[in-house]
Amino acid sequence: MSEPVIVAKDLVKYYKERGFFAGRKLALNRFNLEVNKGETVAVLGPNGAGKTTFLRIIFGLIYPSGGEIRVFGRTAEDINWRVRAGYVPEFYNPARFLTAQELLEISARTNGMSRKNFEKALEWLEEKLGIKELLALRVRQFSRGMLQQLALASALIHNPELVVLDEPTANLDALSRRKLKELLKELSGQGKTILLSSHILSEVEELCNKVVIIKNGQVIKQGSTEELLGREEGYLICFKAPSQLPEQLDKLGAISMDAERKIISLSVSDEYKKDLVVKVLSENNIPIELLEPKQKTLEEYFLELTQQEALEKYFLEIVKEQ
């Protein structure tokens, strides 16, 4: 197996707090993570968990207080590997007097691109992200969504092997988000390594093949979405709403209805009840639209995990007080 693209080992990061009697705030606490070539990895966590801190340390924008970070086998301070990577920060703040095209030209030159390759890459980005109308405008004329599109284009202009994205869909409209998702899927299919942080967990579930959940600066869970979510007990059965619902169904599971589509969803806890529901529907000539094992969403898993961690901490504090 090839060497991991990113290796974080026992990373520690303290921030100085403001104020006369201020101390230090711990942002990363012996943080460990490996990202392998070709993986699309999401780093998730509550606000203040340390996600942005970790991403900024990767690119040498801030330095760790302890531990080690290596990218392509080199230290974060070694700038030579950065031509192989692209980074979209949480807050992109380029020079406001420059045009989008001028900024992209600077990014291309910084990463050693020829004029010919730059023009080809620009055409590709126009097709994938729809940035053509932005190129002649100065940054001071940009909305937040336009600024995010420019940040993405600047990170991808040189066709990097590693793409790191901090809240990449922030401020994007629905069409731009869809284009970005399609582009990230395409890059993943090409074997690029993608590391992202996002609060939109449905998109993470769609895009990523590995999820890392952090809290209080530590990794508390990691694995593929299949490993983390597993399979929940029970079944979901959907069918068109009949003029009269058979009484037996109320006793078999939890019923909900999509009034607009006139679809009833029935959640049952086990296979025995699933078979009873199928039998009742068949006897009443009600066709089944969908029958599948219940599956937790990533959002449900994330909320359960973080709430469980909070409860464990709460009870531990009670025990200590006693």
Side-chain angles (χ1 to χ4, degrees):
M1 189 174 179
S2 60
E3 183 180 27
V5 175
I6 299 172
V7 178
K9 187 174 181 182
D10 292 331
L11 275 184
V12 175
K13 177 61 182 177
Y14 285 98
Y15 288 112
K16 288 183 179 178
E17 294 182 320
R18 295 181 180 180
F20 188 75
F21 295 104
R24 298 192 303 170
K25 179 183 176 182
L26 183 61
L28 292 179
N29 183 12
R30 298 184 68 84
F31 182 93
N32 292 281
L33 180 64
E34 289 188 1
V35 177
N36 295 308
K37 180 177 171 59
E39 287 185 323
T40 300
V41 180
V43 179
L44 309 179
N47 290 334
K51 304 182 296 296
T52 294
T53 294
F54 170 56
L55 300 186
R56 296 185 72 201
I57 284 175
I58 291 173
F59 282 83
L61 300 175
I62 55 175
Y63 293 106
S65 308
E68 183 183 19
I69 181 84
R70 300 190 76 82
V71 188
F72 294 113
R74 299 168 182 248
T75 63
E77 294 86 353
D78 184 347
I79 63 171
N80 293 316
W81 62 262
R82 294 185 198 175
V83 296
R84 301 169 66 184
Y87 175 51
V88 176
E90 184 179 20
F91 302 107
Y92 181 57
N93 189 28
R96 293 172 59 80
F97 60 87
L98 293 175
T99 66
Q101 176 141 350
E102 288 168 342
L103 281 164
L104 291 175
E105 286 177 355
I106 291 170
S107 180
R109 285 201 299 272
T110 301
N111 287 290
M113 294 182 73
S114 67
R115 184 72 194 182
K116 182 180 178 181
N117 286 339
F118 168 69
E119 289 174 355
K120 284 175 66 177
L122 205 56
E123 288 178 11
W124 177 75
L125 286 169
E126 287 171 5
E127 176 193 345
K128 298 299 179 182
L129 294 177
I131 62 166
K132 189 172 185 178
E133 295 178 359
L134 308 183
L135 296 177
L137 297 178
R138 298 195 183 279
V139 171
R140 61 171 171 259
Q141 300 171 273
F142 277 25
S143 67
R144 284 191 233 179
M146 294 160 71
L147 201 58
Q148 188 70 1
Q149 284 180 291
L150 179 57
L152 290 162
S154 182
L156 298 172
I157 188 74
H158 57 297
N159 191 27
E161 299 170 49
L162 168 65
V163 181
V164 178
L165 310 153
D166 197 349
E167 299 291 345
T169 58
N171 302 312
L172 294 181
D173 59 34
L175 178 60
S176 297
R177 282 202 307 272
R178 188 176 73 184
K179 285 183 176 180
L180 176 59
K181 284 193 291 184
E182 289 171 354
L183 177 54
L184 291 178
K185 287 177 183 176
E186 181 181 319
L187 294 175
S188 178
Q190 294 172 4
K192 307 287 188 187
T193 304
I194 302 171
L195 176 63
L196 64 88
S197 166
S198 176
H199 283 97
I200 305 177
L201 301 192
S202 58
E203 293 181 351
V204 168
E205 194 168 351
E206 183 182 349
L207 291 169
C208 299
N209 49 41
K210 180 178 177 181
V211 174
V212 178
I213 300 177
I214 69 173
K215 190 176 180 185
N216 299 325
Q218 291 182 313
V219 175
I220 59 173
K221 251 345 170 182
Q222 64 175 299
S224 68
T225 51
E226 291 83 4
E227 290 169 345
L228 294 181
L229 300 181
R231 190 187 128 182
E232 195 175 357
E233 291 296 319
Y235 293 85
L236 181 67
I237 305 163
C238 300
F239 51 92
K240 284 278 177 70
S243 55
Q244 186 172 358
L245 191 67
E247 290 181 9
Q248 305 99 304
L249 296 181
D250 281 326
K251 301 172 185 176
L252 294 174
I255 295 176
S256 61
M257 180 170 176
D258 183 334
E260 188 177 336
R261 295 169 56 223
K262 295 182 179 178
I263 294 287
I264 291 178
S265 299
L266 178 58
S267 177
V268 297
S269 58
D270 55 48
E271 192 153 352
Y272 174 70
K273 289 182 179 178
K274 179 258 293 181
D275 291 340
L276 285 178
V277 171
V278 170
K279 183 182 177 185
V280 170
L281 293 175
S282 176
E283 288 173 348
N284 288 271
N285 297 314
I286 302 171
I288 294 173
E289 299 285 320
L290 175 72
L291 194 162
E292 65 180 10
K294 284 196 289 187
Q295 178 73 53
K296 275 183 189 175
T297 66
L298 184 58
E299 185 170 359
E300 288 169 338
Y301 178 83
F302 174 76
L303 290 172
E304 281 182 14
L305 181 65
T306 51
Q307 287 167 1
Q308 180 185 347
E309 288 276 322
L311 281 171
E312 288 174 356
K313 183 179 179 183
Y314 172 72
F315 286 122
L316 187 61
E317 286 173 356
I318 291 175
V319 170
K320 284 180 179 177
E321 287 174 4
Q322 292 175 346

